[in-house]
Amino acid sequence: QVQLVESGGGLVQAGGSLRLSCTASGGTFSTYGMGWFRQAPGKEREFVAAISRGTYATRYADSVKGRFTVSRDNAKNTVYVQMNRLKPEDTAVYYCAAGQNFGVFAVPERSYEYDYWGQGTQVTVSS
């Protein structure tokens, strides 16, 4: 059983930056592909970014491409998402997720492909 804990959320002005972290415990972190998702009030959870467990392939939602960067540090059991040029529409609860039931180079964007989820961290971007 893998436990995921997100941190780094907060309130930031539009145009600012935040870095979210997600630290895993209870499993072999390097064997999991990792994803970031977000959910705004009244909306469905949506894909943000993912990073594979092999060769560190990445994928981004079109809405964040060029502004967000996902990375991982297996020595620290941690995945990050660096969020730059934040917009009010980025306001949401951000969740990290871990999964193994896909290829080593895969970067799934569907939430059902991930088995473990963190509790989320709130990001609020003011205009």
Side-chain angles (χ1 to χ4, degrees):
Q1 187 80 6
V2 175
Q3 293 81 44
L4 303 172
V5 179
E6 301 97 334
S7 61
L11 173 64
V12 64
Q13 288 188 330
S17 299
L18 282 174
R19 187 178 79 156
L20 305 184
S21 302
C22 171
T23 300
S25 61
T28 304
F29 180 73
S30 61
T31 67
Y32 288 87
M34 302 298 297
W36 285 97
F37 293 76
R38 67 186 181 187
Q39 187 166 19
K43 295 188 176 181
E44 293 186 353
R45 188 171 300 189
E46 66 174 2
F47 171 75
V48 174
I51 186 166
S52 71
R53 60 182 187 269
T55 73
Y56 292 10
T58 58
R59 175 178 289 182
Y60 298 93
D62 288 343
S63 59
V64 308
K65 201 172 294 183
R67 299 188 298 122
F68 290 14
T69 302
V70 61
S71 61
R72 64 188 298 161
D73 185 341
N74 287 346
K76 295 182 178 180
N77 291 349
T78 301
V79 62
Y80 306 95
V81 60
Q82 176 68 43
M83 307 186 296
N84 298 327
R85 290 185 282 131
L86 283 160
K87 305 175 181 180
E89 51 263 44
D90 293 318
T91 295
V93 177
Y94 283 70
Y95 300 90
C96 70
Q100 290 180 313
N101 295 320
F102 41 81
V104 67
F105 305 119
V107 278
E109 57 184 80
R110 293 177 175 82
S111 59
Y112 64 79
E113 299 198 67
Y114 294 89
D115 300 310
Y116 303 101
W117 292 81
Q119 82 291 346
T121 186
Q122 176 71 46
V123 171
T124 303
V125 185
S126 63
S127 57

